[in-house]
Amino acid sequence: MPSETITREQAVTMLDIQDLSVVIHRPGRQVAALSNVSFSVAPGEVVGLVGESGGGKSMVARAIVGMLPSGSHATGRVGFDGADVLRMDAADLARHRGSGAAICFQNPRGALSPTRTVGRQLIDRLVTHQDMKGDRAAETAKELFAAVGIRNPARRLEAYPHELSGGMAQRVMISLATGCAPGLLIADEPTTGLDVTLTREILRQFRHAADTDGRGVLLISHDLASIAEVCDRVVVLYAGTVVESGPAAKVLREPAHPYTRALLRSVPDVGGGRVVATAGGMPLMTAAPHDCPFAPRCAHATDDCRSTRPETTMLDGDWSLACFHPQETPLAEAIAADLTTAATEPGDVVLKIEDAHVVYRSRFGSGGHHALRGVSLELRAGETLGVVGESGCGKSTLAKLIMGLVEPSEGSVEVAGKGVRKQSRAERTRAQMVFQDPIGSLSPRRTVGDSIAEPLRAAKVPAKERAQRVEAALGRMELDPSILTRLPHELSGGQAQRIGIARALVGRPDLIVFDEPTSALDVTVQAQILDVIADVASDAGHGSVFISHDLATVRGFADRVVVLYLGRVVEEGPVDEVFDRPKHPYTRALLGSAPRLGETRTADVQLVKDLDEADAATGCALAARCPFVTDTCRSQEQTLQPYGETRAACWRVPELTALIEKS
Amino acid sequence: MRILRFVGRRLLQLIPVLLGVVVLTFLLVRVLPGDPIRSILGPNATEADADAARARFGLDQPMWKQFLDYLGGLFTGDFGTSIQSGAPVTGEMALRLGPTLELVVIAVTIAVLLAIWLGIWSARRADRFGDHTVRIFALFGNSIPEFWLGLVLILVGYAALGWFPAPSGRVDPDADLTPLTGADLVDALITGNGPAISSAAAHLVLPVLTLVIGVLAPLLRSVRASALEVLRSEAYAAAAAHGLPERTLLRGYLRRATLVRLPSLAALVFGTALGSTVLVEYVYSWQGFGQWALRGLLYRDYPVVQASVLIIAFAYVLVFLIADVVHAWLDPRVKI
Amino acid sequence: MAPPNISRRGLLQLGGSVALLMTTGACAAGSKDNPDSSASAGPAATTLRIAVSSYLSSWDQDFVGFDLTALMLFKNVYPYMIDYGVTKAGDSEILDTANITPTFAESFEPDSTQKIWTLKLRKGVMFPSGNEMKAADVKWSKDRAFAAQANVAGIYRTIGLTKPEQVIVKDDYTVEFHQEFPSALTKQIQAISLYVFDSVEAKKHATDADPWAKEWFAKNAPTGGYFNVTKATQGQEIELSANKAYPGTDGAKTPTIRLSVVPAAANQRLQLQAGDIDIALGITGQDLQDLKKVEGVKVLSAASNNQVMMTMSVTTAPFDDVNVRKALAFAVPYEQIIKNVYGGDARPVKSYVPLDMPGYAETGYPFTYDIEQAKAALAASGKTAVNSELVFEANNDEQQKIAVQVQAEAAKAGITLKLTPLDPATLGERRTQKSIPLQITTGQLWVNDVEYMLATFYVKGAALNYANLNNAELEEIYTKSHTTVEESARLQLWSQVQSILAAEVPAVMICQPNFNLPVREKVAGWVQPMDGLARLRYLSASA
Amino acid sequence: MAAIEMAPVVSSNRDGRFAKVLIYVGSGILVVAALAALLAPLLTRWGPTEIDPSGTLAAPGGEHLLGTDGNGMDVWSRVLHAARLDLGIAVLAVALAVVVGTLLGLLAGYLGGWVDDVLMRIVDIFQAFPTFILALAVSALLGGGFFNLVVTIAAVNAPAYARLVRAEVRTLREMQYIDAAKTSGASTIGIMWRHLLPNSLTPVRVIAPLNCGWAMLTLAGLSFLGLGVTVPTAEWGSMISLGTSDVVAGRWWTSVPPGLALLVCVLGFSLLGEGLQERADAKRR
């Protein structure tokens, strides 16, 4: 790479990747994972590395610690404090790993050894890299745990990874990485799977590491919006190439590369903007590209783009770009222009849940897990109901309850006017579901056509008509009929989810439940699927329930929204009302934590600790986490009360605004 | 204690299984063709003689009465009287159990340790020459019938090389071993009888080797696969990426995580080995439990068959219980 | 003796074998008298090691323990009052079943009615416990035998002893046996049955529930025989030591004998070759031929009265037709079996009467291997093909090989045989049911007389009449033979017997294999036991 | 710029290749064995139970490629013909065990509750039962023969499959596609047959070949104990055990060829199983 693209002073640079290319040779195939990647990280700096999966983000991280997969062929230079990681011998590499650069792995629970207490694992790092012994190591471990926000660190040191919640595990992972006292801290998708309230907290830890300890931080994420706040600079990867990099504020607000823009516009905005989908998917490179890899998906692509690879050019200061057609329109306007609202007339009641409780009994002995407590809902054809809440709040149980997959221990569920447990086989297909895991919800050894036709088979639709209807559903999903004979593992996530939606549609159901349908998908694909779902949900023939932990996705097309917390409905109402004027402190906290592009703000309500199911015993479910808790909250069960158009289960709603201002 | 409660609950669960085994065996031996009484009487015995003998063993009683008597006896630890020998089954069984357990326990222990060592070694060299060699050799060992392997080892180790004692006993009678448990090596160690220790150990080498070769492959395969899984796990990669030294990685991150799945397989191997040592016992003149049970079966010695099936079944389920406890101990994720 | 009927696997060595034809009434036997036993007199080495194929099931001869290893051991460790003498047969010494002499006893003689037999004990014969062997011991032992209602009690019935009251103690050293009727078999039967327990010692272990100390004797060896058991590891090894207190002249020559259990024949053979054992009791067939060539090993060999035959049930289809029986008799490859199974080490038989038995005539069995004649015989029965099963002892190599050879050849004559190896329990049961159409049997007649043979095999009610033969003429001859004493008259009867049997064809007489025993070269003094139970006291080892 | 091959922390990409070698070699062996079994009559002049009247234990060469055994039968012919029985019994027994075990496992795993409890206790009972005693009991009850041995060995193996499939089904029934099938109105039988069965067979496919090898060894063990096929039927285990004394005498040909045949075939199954296992492991990663 031409050296003029590097503008930072070499002296202050810690990590300096230059022209790094990685090709992985596997029997029968070859993957160009990275092509001519260059960027750098200085001490005290937080750099975001963003892009969708397959873009090569993790490969960069692996190259930095010298752990490329076998069969990898790396060229270029991974400079670290003057040395080249790619040329280090085993001993140097052993020194470099951990104390030079330490990775926080993507899936903290998977990355913690399951058979060793987390304390031991931390002490192992301290002993190795900080040369500590016995008591001092234990003491330091405790301090490190406390530093990442683990309460009761002494007890937690004795815990095994499986005993930790996701957020706790991520904190432990961070402490393990910092325990190595690295120059560079690499965080690989540190917030994936975490609830919004936690995401901010975790990201703040990295900012903290850069600010107070002067470490360089490389923050890897597919989600530009969430890391935007903490990054100094961002590097956008697409198909193994750096398409854009520069100061975070600039790149996020005025992205010049069409891909960066597509990425940003694919992220649903909690403020009400609807996503704009970009067709297609990321190509898998077999060799370093000779054209612009984004060209096939790019609206601005010209013949140049399709034949020549754009050079990386400097726009301004740090801002570099690899594109022939840099865009200059501000992004926000572009979004606003696309915003539409669908309104439909409500029809018959298709779902009626009355005071439903669900308890999962443990197999032995007494007790059990109370997943839903007194939930009541009603939904009409043509309506779309959004259900939001953190993981563990009972969202999925609600979906299962509607589908008749779990039985209410109390209360009743009626779909299309008939009790769920009393349905015949054909009647059961009146409600359909779109699942979280698109590929996992398709039977691995059944063809796509088979899977789609399943509800029709149950409804005893004759074979000929079945084929017609399957084809029609497929057409609506804009899929080619040739896909019918394929098996699930041959599908991409986006294709599989379209199949899932087609299956749900094919039987012309009265109700469709979307259970986190996009959470497993990449951002641009997510946008595509959200587009499809919005279209499907606007049908007048059926009602839709859209369940998501991501508030923003719900806002796009739901008519009403329900906020669940620990199995209870804490707030419900028209979507705009709930989002724009939240009543319940929990809803406020959720909305406050949701990332917003281009805005840096703090939530008006901050919950005081991580979600813990044990808190739900008596009184208000949120009592243990609510900053405004009183004794009344702790002792009195809260029920939904009307506040304007919405209803919320909190007696302090009227005084909340004042309380928040005071704090 | 949670673990005690777990063991207690599991022991309770064993009751229906063992009861099932008792009922099944009881019925089975009686449904089989063949008359146990005729096999102890001479050809000149009259029906009256046979009836007298039948009465002596309670075989003239109605079936349900026999069963209740037998069940009643079981609760007091009385397994009945052997039809062949006229001696209480409990005592005979105690004598026969020691030698077999000695053989199987030592062999399976060695096999497990060897499998752990070789399996991890092999996994760390995955797909290199050493790895392939070890695995192929283990598969070879696994593919030879034990009785044939036994004979070959005798031919080589005893007849040709003369390194090992004649396969006609378990300890040199001149070593004057005081029998306590029936397991010679254990007895020799307890009594501190030097010559007996070396003699018992020498007699153990070939039969143990035969069993070890026979059962190593599945254990090795399992350890290697688990070790590879650990080596390729994110957790291990994370530890390696944090630059932990080899020794810490091996001890703290690889070994225990690898062993997590081994106990239940080891239990299965133990159970199978216990049920099929009869072949090895036969070849090595090892007068153990298998020989005794099989002989009982061929002579339709009802109490012997019933007792031996029950004991093997009991040992089997017990070993699985132990395996589960060990598993729980190794794997903190297991709730018991 | 027969190649000890110990199977290859030792698991089945009893095998419902007919080896022990110790049964039922028949009159006295032909006589042979040269009682002088001249046991070899090499310098006795201290220890002989013998491999047997299985451990004895019990030490208690009264109650259970009917297996060959046990019976052999009993002969050597129980004090028997009388026993067979020894005689020469060709080069080798054999037990003389006709000459029964007192051993531990002083004398055993009948009165003139032949109904009251007086047993006089020697004075001063001591059990190892220090108790003297006295009449009370005999009485207790016989009471125990009656109480057991098993082995001895069963045999005693044949000589009119059924109640304990018939055994009367006269004084400390004299016991009288009052038979219900006189019998020529008394000595034979008593030779098998007159063993005594150390009753003083035994009573210590008796309880109310177990007055005969069954539990004790099931596990503890009796004392006071030619040998005492000094150590017994169950299932594995038995150590015998010569009983110094034996009052007679022909006590044990070897101070110590170790019997170790080696089930695998190949294993026994290896150990014999290596010199780790001196005598291998479990080796048969081809191995014997091989061992003849091995250095340091000799195979003791002698002609034997062991008969190998296939008994056909004359009451069970298809062998209820005499022509089918004849067809099979023609279809058996006699020479080939002798060659393939016995390595030529067996004598072909031309009569139902064993070779070496008075009355044997070459014409007694007019069948030779001839497939054409077999087909013709089958045709005569009106059939062209028959099916049956051939039963033999499971895990008996020899019988198995015979069965294989027979099956192959019989098939050529149109007789399809399904081979059915049976385990002892099943074999015993089916024999009791008398439902086996065709079975291989092997065995020795203890009394060298055709009358005894008839009584054992061919008359109605005979224990081993597996042919279910019920021939009026034979019954008549049998009855007549009881009172026929004159040699030529008897021979006349026997010739009739042979022609009747030749016409009836109750069995296929395969051959009379020779006796073979592989031993180390230093082993001397082997006496071939005509009852199949080795008398270890004659054995010695030249250094 | 210099190209650098990174030393991998753990190598993995050659896995697939070795698995392939294992699978090819294993199935190659089995194909050859199966061909030998099928073509046995064409490859020999002697029948497997035909007795050569000229004598027993003839050394290899001349009339008999591998000599004759103690009964005067041609060893080469017997080794070939035995493949039919050994492979046939092993494969059929395992197939039967798979069918029965899978059915039980499917029912127990999916229905759960008391069905699971009862079925699994029955499985426990059978699994705790010693192999050889179970084998003898089955053979004594059913009478001898090919079918009996198939049933015997199947009975010994079926419990393991029941467990395996049950465990798999218990995992699978939590899968989203099962929920999807339920909400699509599939019947219980439909779910078991169309969704659970095909997917739960994945581990079975790996275990079954290994198990076939083990079944052959069990068959040999049964024959050795006299519980297997009746003489003179050609079967490797029984040939080996009949020839053990011959080995001691230096007459290797009666038991070494069947021993090698058995070893090679078991090895074939083991290699195939090991290869499949490795491929499955590789796929899982």
Side-chain angles (χ1 to χ4, degrees), chain C residues 324-356:
Chain C
V324 177
R325 301 204 289 276
K326 282 182 181 163
L328 183 62
F330 280 120
V332 170
Y334 302 95
E335 292 302 322
Q336 187 177 311
I337 289 175
I338 288 174
K339 188 174 75 183
N340 287 1
V341 180
Y342 296 101
D345 212 4
R347 295 181 289 171
V349 194
K350 286 282 141 217
S351 171
Y352 284 91
V353 171
L355 281 158
D356 309 330

Side-chain angles (χ1 to χ4, degrees), chain A residues 65 67 94 97-99 101-107 110-116 120-122 124-125 128-129 160 162 173 176-177 180 364, chain B residues 9 13 230 233-245 248-249 251-258 260 329-335:
Chain A
V65 291
M67 282 177 65
R97 289 178 186 153
S99 56
I103 303 187
C104 286
F105 283 82
Q106 177 173 9
N107 163 20
L112 295 170
S113 182
T115 52
R116 201 161 171 84
R120 284 292 325 162
Q121 299 192 40
L122 178 51
D124 285 338
R125 271 105 179 146
T128 306
H129 296 293
Y160 285 97
H162 72 280
M173 195 68 233
L176 289 191
C180 298
F364 295 103
Chain B
R9 204 173 63 215
Q13 279 181 325
V230 175
S233 72
E234 253 184 85
Y236 189 84
H242 285 179
L244 297 187
T248 315
L249 285 177
R251 288 191 189 159
Y253 294 79
L254 180 53
R255 209 185 286 152
R256 183 162 166 198
T258 294
V260 156
W329 172 70
L330 281 174
D331 189 348
R333 286 165 294 189
V334 174
K335 288 204 191 89

Side-chain angles (χ1 to χ4, degrees), chain B residues 5-14 317 320-321 324:
Chain B
R5 256 210 347 255
F6 169 77
V7 170
R9 204 173 63 215
R10 282 288 302 269
L11 285 174
L12 280 181
Q13 279 181 325
L14 297 188
V317 290
F320 266 91
L321 175 57
D324 282 350

Side-chain angles (χ1 to χ4, degrees), chain D residues 41-248:
Chain D
L42 304 177
L43 299 172
T44 78
R45 286 195 293 123
W46 295 85
T49 58
E50 197 181 337
I51 294 172
D52 183 350
S54 65
T56 60
L57 295 171
E63 189 77 358
H64 301 280
L65 189 61
L66 284 174
T68 60
D69 67 5
N71 287 320
M73 296 174 183
D74 184 73
V75 174
W76 168 239
S77 168
R78 286 174 69 73
V79 167
L80 287 183
H81 281 87
R84 298 177 161 198
L85 199 74
D86 281 87
L87 290 173
I89 289 179
V91 170
L92 282 181
V94 170
L96 185 62
V98 166
V99 170
V100 173
T102 303
L103 202 65
L104 291 177
L106 209 52
L107 287 173
Y110 187 62
L111 299 179
W114 67 268
V115 178
D116 184 29
D117 282 337
V118 170
L119 287 181
M120 280 302 114
R121 288 303 84 77
I122 292 175
V123 164
D124 280 343
I125 290 169
F126 270 87
Q127 209 166 22
F129 225 81
T131 307
F132 288 114
I133 291 182
L134 191 62
L136 183 89
V138 175
S139 72
L141 283 175
L142 296 179
F146 183 85
F147 178 69
N148 138 46
L149 284 164
V150 169
V151 172
T152 304
I153 294 173
V156 173
N157 286 309
Y161 287 103
R163 277 187 183 289
L164 191 69
V165 170
R166 174 181 174 271
E168 193 69 16
V169 166
R170 285 177 71 86
T171 317
L172 290 181
R173 72 172 186 178
E174 306 299 329
M175 290 289 181
Q176 281 192 353
Y177 64 84
I178 299 300
D179 279 350
K182 279 189 204 163
T183 60
S184 297
S187 62
T188 304
I189 293 176
I191 289 174
M192 285 200 271
W193 180 254
R194 292 167 50 82
H195 299 290
L196 289 172
L197 180 66
N199 293 306
S200 61
L201 287 181
T202 312
V204 170
R205 260 187 287 270
V206 173
I207 300 295
L210 290 171
N211 203 213
C212 281
W214 190 80
M216 292 179 79
L217 290 176
T218 310
L219 180 61
L222 285 172
S223 289
F224 184 75
L225 292 176
L227 307 176
V229 296
T230 318
V231 284
T233 315
E235 194 276 319
W236 291 330
S238 112
M239 291 171 74
I240 297 168
S241 76
L242 286 175
T244 42
S245 316
D246 290 331
V247 179
V248 175

Side-chain angles (χ1 to χ4, degrees), chain C residues 356-374:
Chain C
D356 309 330
M357 187 180 274
Y360 174 85
E362 287 273 307
T363 54
Y365 188 73
F367 304 102
T368 51
Y369 173 58
D370 186 339
I371 291 293
E372 287 315 309
Q373 273 194 298

Side-chain angles (χ1 to χ4, degrees), chain C residues 139-196:
Chain C
K139 174 65 180 163
W140 189 86
S141 303
K142 292 304 110 184
D143 288 353
R144 189 175 194 268
F146 284 117
Q149 274 186 285
N151 308 336
V152 169
I155 306 167
Y156 269 177
R157 269 199 297 274
T158 63
I159 55 168
L161 288 173
T162 51
K163 297 187 292 283
E165 294 75 44
Q166 291 172 291
V167 182
I168 297 159
V169 176
K170 281 296 169 191
D171 59 45
D172 267 0
Y173 300 98
T174 313
V175 184
E176 282 180 7
F177 292 80
H178 291 244
Q179 293 175 205
E180 280 154 16
F181 47 82
S183 169
L185 276 178
T186 299
K187 275 198 172 181
Q188 303 280 355
I189 296 298
Q190 290 289 21
I192 301 167
S193 311
L194 248 183
Y195 51 85
V196 303

Side-chain angles (χ1 to χ4, degrees), chain B residues 154-180:
Chain B
I154 290 174
L155 268 174
V156 175
Y158 164 69
L161 300 174
W163 288 353
F164 299 102
S168 67
R170 301 190 297 115
V171 69
D172 188 342
D174 294 328
D176 271 326
L177 177 66
T178 322
L180 295 168

